[in-house]
Amino acid sequence: MSQGGAGEQDIHAAARPADLAAPSSTLAARYRRESVGEKDAPAPRSDDENKAAKKKKKPRGKRDAEEVALLLSSSEEEEAGRSAAGEALGRQQASQQPPPSPDEGSSSRLLQSQCCPSAPARSIAQCCHGGAKMAALAYNLGKREINYHFSVRNAKLLALLAALLLAAGHGLARHYAGHDACDQLISSGRFLGGNVWQPHSCMMHKYKSSESKICLADKRITFIGDSRVRQLFFSFVKLINPGTKEDGNKHEDIPYEDEAVSIHVDFLWCPEVNNSMKHRFSAWSESTATKPHIIVLGAATWSIKIHNGSAEALTQYKANVSAVAPILEKLAETTEVYWVLQDPVNENLLSESRKMITNEKIDAYNEAAVSILNSSARNSKSKIRIFSISKLISQETIAESLDGLHIPEASRDASAMILMNAYCNNIVKPIDGSCCQPRAPLTMIQKLATCLFAASFIGYIVQMVIHRNIHRKNKTCTDLESGEEKKPATATPAASTWEVLLQSLCKLGLIMAYFYLCDRANLFMKENKFYTHSSFFIPIIYILVLGVFYIENTKETKMLNRDQTDEWKGWMQLVILIYHISGASSFLPVYMHVRVLVAAYLFQTGYGHFSFFWLKGDFGFYRVCQVVFRLNFLVVVLCIVMDRPYQFYYFVPLVTFWFVVIYGTLAAWPQIIQKQANGNRLWNLGLLLKLAFLLLIICFLTYSQGSFEKIFSLWPVSELFELNGNVYEWWFRWKLDRYAVFHGMLFAFLYLALQKRQILSEGKGEPLFSSNISNILLFFSVLSFLTYSIWASSCRNKNECNEMHPSVSVVQILAFVLIRNIPGYARSVYSTFFAWFGKISLESRRNHDFKLVIDHSYTEGKYI
């Protein structure tokens, strides 16, 4: 990282000590050459001298240690020279030493500037002596080493290596372990906390009633078994109709029917595996009229209870299961058959009539059923699916059982949701439900994109081979007469436009391939999000510390200068990324503050584009195409590769729409720019009328959802804004931050007007206004910022807070802008770490709109 500009170094050089030791000067000169990149002009050396110098060159770590030792010794000498008792000796030494060379003088000044290179060190290093000098040099050396080893190039290489290793590891695990996400769904998993179940290696979708009806329309589902299967039946029915009550005779058959979509769900009371159950299965296997599409069965506890847990009962149970297994195997060819293993019991809570039902006996019955059913298919894997996940869930929650036998409601609800995922994911194909959902076949446009990227790879390799052959021919050769090497007359030509294009397409192809493997393939293990405070706030603190570590001086000190806006966008992008990964949308205070960050990005959109058109007056078609292309190129490629609709990555359509609105507002007749307004102030009034008309249109569309949907449902506009066949999602997104761009445009107009009239003081270190006004504005800004945060943290209803958000979010945005810009010292520094992310904010925003973490966190039909 750069340690300050030349102007700053000259300022610090004016205060350097006159008696700075020569070793320190030499050290500073070498430090400057290595860290900043300056080069001295040494005398030319022969080849032998160069070889000798290379042999004598010391390792980097040893050189740094010697630098610290040299500076320490020089600092001690300077401290001794400053003491009153050593003044005469100091003058004598100074008179005996030869005058410093120009290089040493400049190096001394440079060391003084390097002692105080950046804002964090300036307060402790006003004078370059003693501990302050050591602290400043340690800060600079540490930062230099970090930048040397952890460069952007090295970070990219490490990321690529990690991605390749992860892909290889997951691929090998799936190949050799025979991994099946559907089998894992019904057999393994864990609780994340708060009764949230996480299947192993895949994501489970939370089905709503409407989705369940779509999946199960014209279907017949049958549950057969004892009272615990009846519990699972009721939980399953509640996914279709949440208002269903658990009533009726407990030891009788219970039917459920939804006539609107022709769904039939029946519970058949059959607590033992016996001939009655066998005859029912035989009837289904011989007839297709009443055959269920899904059969869920399980029984054992009644056999244990009736026969008092005898060994003969277990033997009879094995014989009965063996008798029904072939019939079930035949049914499983056309029907989904799930055998539910028996859940454990809480033996301490069981009544006296159930004391014979022990976990040991339950395990014996489960082992018998599994061994028989898995061997029911002679020549292949059994089609009967063992639903063991209910047993695993109950092991964690049986302590909450009221009678020790029946499992708690939250546990059976989780089992019912797993059952719904196992059957419906392949039908509904939810975005956040990867369990039991095979990879979608490639579309024609995806195949064409694959061919394009493959051709680019081949072309780039061919181009590299040709380029290398040409380079070999132009290598130096030895003159036979003189024995000296001759260099080619022409230097190696720079890469052509064609080579750059092929290289860029290759990089883009690698990125898209990684995205496809993450999202559309089942290579990587996936997991639902589960929010905890530590998963969100610890990464936030970590990036905050990194951002502070990389604070530097800005190139300019104007309000909202380029460095500052890049920094602003950068830390917002990182916070939003952590927010998405950690699933923090479920925590309302964090959700409301992140909503402000999204509004702030749109605020910057209005501010930036308005400032450009107002100052430049460039309304040309080329400018529009340039902005639209940069905003949408990556998203269009993602839509092609991922086979997703354009509105799926909602933020880019939102920013593009608002850019078109800004352009249309300012380019419409009469076109008003600052140059015109300077000549006649009435043009300012004309511009304000334009903004007022824009605000009026926004308000009209806000309170007229029907008109909004009609406008954006017209072809071909509907192709851009429809999602799942309607524009509701687009309307919700647009409405949520509808005033943010308008606020940004209005703020830009007012700021540029004040700047033109020289009301603002934007010099380095100067407060933005006079001292009294600055203090008052700063006080109210901090108060407003904290007030909004308190209000957002006290929200209890997301819908109500979303209604308030568009009107009040500007309060915290403006408060932040004033806090960041009123103090001169705050306006004069920025974090290069955050600014680097801010420069790629569009790309990073699109990437985690794509969601490398895959889950889109749908909440009440709206993804956050």
Side-chain angles (χ1 to χ4, degrees), residues 109-178:
R109 289 191 298 272
L110 178 58
L111 179 59
Q112 175 66 20
S113 68
Q114 292 298 334
C115 287
C116 311
S118 58
R122 189 179 298 117
S123 61
I124 64 169
Q126 293 295 336
C127 295
C128 206
H129 65 277
K133 180 188 291 183
M134 287 300 301
L137 182 64
Y139 174 82
N140 291 328
L141 289 177
K143 183 180 289 188
R144 184 184 67 179
E145 287 299 314
I146 291 174
N147 293 337
Y148 179 80
H149 294 290
F150 298 97
S151 62
V152 174
R153 177 183 175 83
N154 290 343
K156 290 180 179 179
L157 291 175
L158 288 174
L160 177 61
L161 180 61
L164 293 175
L165 290 176
L166 285 172
H170 282 267
L172 291 173
R174 288 183 180 274
H175 178 73
Y176 288 105

Side-chain angles (χ1 to χ4, degrees), residues 826-848:
R827 200 173 62 252
S828 301
V829 296
Y830 78 111
S831 171
T832 56
F833 175 78
F834 291 141
W836 185 87
F837 286 97
K839 291 174 183 177
I840 58 169
S841 60
L842 282 171
E843 289 73 19
S844 60
R845 176 72 197 187
R846 281 167 246 171
N847 289 347
H848 59 70

Side-chain angles (χ1 to χ4, degrees), residues 129-360:
H129 65 277
K133 180 188 291 183
M134 287 300 301
L137 182 64
Y139 174 82
N140 291 328
L141 289 177
K143 183 180 289 188
R144 184 184 67 179
E145 287 299 314
I146 291 174
N147 293 337
Y148 179 80
H149 294 290
F150 298 97
S151 62
V152 174
R153 177 183 175 83
N154 290 343
K156 290 180 179 179
L157 291 175
L158 288 174
L160 177 61
L161 180 61
L164 293 175
L165 290 176
L166 285 172
H170 282 267
L172 291 173
R174 288 183 180 274
H175 178 73
Y176 288 105
H179 180 80
D180 185 349
C182 205
D183 290 340
Q184 295 286 349
L185 170 66
I186 61 175
S187 63
S188 62
R190 71 187 191 281
F191 273 107
L192 296 177
N195 294 323
V196 177
W197 183 257
Q198 172 58 55
H200 177 71
S201 77
C202 65
M203 295 190 304
M204 187 171 69
H205 178 63
K206 187 176 181 180
Y207 276 88
K208 299 184 289 292
S209 174
S210 58
E211 294 173 317
S212 300
K213 291 179 179 180
I214 292 173
C215 170
L216 302 176
D218 302 319
K219 300 291 192 303
R220 183 179 292 275
I221 303 97
T222 302
F223 290 78
I224 307 175
D226 54 15
S227 58
R228 296 203 279 191
V229 175
R230 184 181 64 237
Q231 283 187 298
L232 183 59
F233 158 78
F234 277 117
S235 293
F236 189 85
V237 170
K238 287 179 181 179
L239 294 177
I240 304 170
N241 182 10
T244 302
K245 296 182 180 179
E246 300 184 21
D247 52 11
N249 194 328
K250 295 183 178 180
H251 294 172
E252 290 183 358
D253 297 347
I254 303 174
Y256 171 81
E257 182 179 0
D258 190 325
E259 296 181 354
V261 289
S262 186
I263 298 176
H264 298 270
V265 186
D266 299 309
F267 169 71
L268 304 181
W269 173 255
C270 192
E272 289 189 274
V273 182
N274 51 26
N275 287 330
S276 175
M277 183 181 288
K278 178 182 177 181
H279 293 326
R280 193 178 295 271
F281 293 153
S282 298
W284 285 340
S285 64
E286 295 172 359
S287 173
T288 59
T290 59
K291 183 188 297 185
H293 296 85
I294 305 174
I295 298 174
V296 182
L297 73 153
T301 54
W302 270 69
S303 298
I304 300 173
K305 177 182 176 181
I306 292 174
H307 301 285
N308 200 26
S310 64
E312 292 79 6
L314 177 59
T315 303
Q316 185 62 44
Y317 179 81
K318 292 179 180 180
N320 292 339
V321 173
S322 299
V324 301
I327 305 174
L328 288 176
E329 192 68 36
K330 183 179 179 181
L331 279 172
E333 294 177 358
T334 56
T335 300
E336 294 277 352
V337 179
Y338 296 91
W339 183 281
V340 181
L341 294 185
Q342 295 302 295
D343 302 324
V345 296
N346 189 340
E347 298 178 11
N348 297 325
L349 298 178
L350 291 175
S351 62
E352 289 299 325
S353 61
R354 295 171 176 168
K355 284 295 185 180
M356 71 290 297
I357 306 175
T358 64
N359 288 321
E360 182 181 358

Side-chain angles (χ1 to χ4, degrees), residues 514-753:
Y514 177 68
F515 284 180
Y516 184 86
L517 291 176
C518 288
D519 184 40
R520 308 296 279 170
N522 289 324
L523 176 64
F524 292 103
M525 296 182 182
K526 303 176 178 67
E527 185 172 294
N528 291 93
K529 301 171 187 175
F530 180 73
Y531 173 77
T532 60
H533 292 318
S534 59
S535 65
F536 177 76
F537 288 104
I538 289 178
I540 292 294
I541 295 172
Y542 177 71
I543 65 166
L544 178 63
V545 171
L546 283 177
V548 172
F549 183 77
Y550 282 95
I551 286 181
E552 301 288 349
N553 294 308
T554 58
K555 297 177 182 178
E556 54 179 329
T557 57
K558 290 184 178 180
M559 187 176 182
L560 289 179
N561 57 70
R562 181 60 181 269
D563 291 335
Q564 188 183 130
T565 54
D566 283 342
E567 175 202 78
W568 190 6
K569 288 186 288 186
W571 69 257
M572 287 195 304
Q573 290 302 114
L574 291 173
V575 171
I576 293 173
L577 179 61
I578 295 170
Y579 164 85
H580 280 302
I581 293 176
S582 61
S585 60
S586 59
F587 186 51
L588 196 53
V590 173
Y591 167 82
M592 292 306 302
H593 283 87
V594 171
R595 289 265 30 112
V596 175
L597 300 187
V598 177
Y601 196 100
L602 294 174
F603 178 91
Q604 287 195 52
T605 298
Y607 172 85
H609 290 306
F610 177 90
S611 299
F612 177 85
F613 290 126
W614 179 246
L615 296 174
K616 303 291 185 180
D618 181 6
F619 297 99
F621 184 70
Y622 176 78
R623 167 68 182 177
V624 177
C625 293
Q626 186 183 43
V627 174
V628 171
F629 177 82
R630 182 169 183 263
L631 288 173
N632 291 272
F633 173 73
L634 182 55
V635 164
V636 171
V637 176
L638 278 172
C639 291
I640 292 172
V641 174
M642 300 302 175
D643 190 28
R644 301 292 193 193
Y646 178 64
Q647 187 58 217
F648 187 81
Y649 309 100
Y650 80 91
F651 190 76
V652 170
L654 189 64
V655 174
T656 305
F657 168 80
W658 281 115
F659 167 74
V660 174
V661 168
I662 296 168
Y663 175 80
T665 302
L666 298 179
W669 184 89
Q671 291 183 1
I672 305 172
I673 61 175
Q674 189 184 56
K675 187 175 180 181
Q676 290 175 299
N678 291 338
N680 187 348
R681 293 187 178 181
L682 290 177
W683 286 114
N684 291 323
L685 180 61
L687 180 66
L688 291 175
L689 289 175
K690 278 190 170 187
L691 295 179
F693 182 70
L694 173 61
L695 179 61
L696 185 64
I697 294 176
I698 294 173
C699 293
F700 171 75
L701 293 176
T702 300
Y703 298 103
S704 180
Q705 182 179 352
S707 300
F708 184 96
E709 291 182 351
K710 287 180 181 178
I711 293 172
F712 289 97
S713 295
L714 295 174
W715 190 89
V717 178
S718 60
E719 298 296 325
L720 299 176
F721 298 104
E722 281 188 355
L723 186 65
N724 300 324
N726 60 71
V727 296
Y728 173 79
E729 192 68 30
W730 165 241
W731 180 78
F732 170 76
R733 290 296 175 187
W734 176 88
K735 182 183 177 183
L736 201 55
D737 296 298
R738 58 186 179 272
Y739 299 129
V741 172
F742 172 80
H743 290 147
M745 297 171 68
L746 184 61
F747 178 82
F749 172 75
L750 295 176
Y751 164 65
L752 293 173

Side-chain angles (χ1 to χ4, degrees), residues 782-798:
V782 173
L783 183 64
S784 301
F785 191 93
L786 295 177
T787 301
Y788 180 90
S789 293
I790 294 171
W791 171 80
S793 301
S794 62
C795 278
R796 292 295 177 265
N797 187 294
K798 182 178 287 188

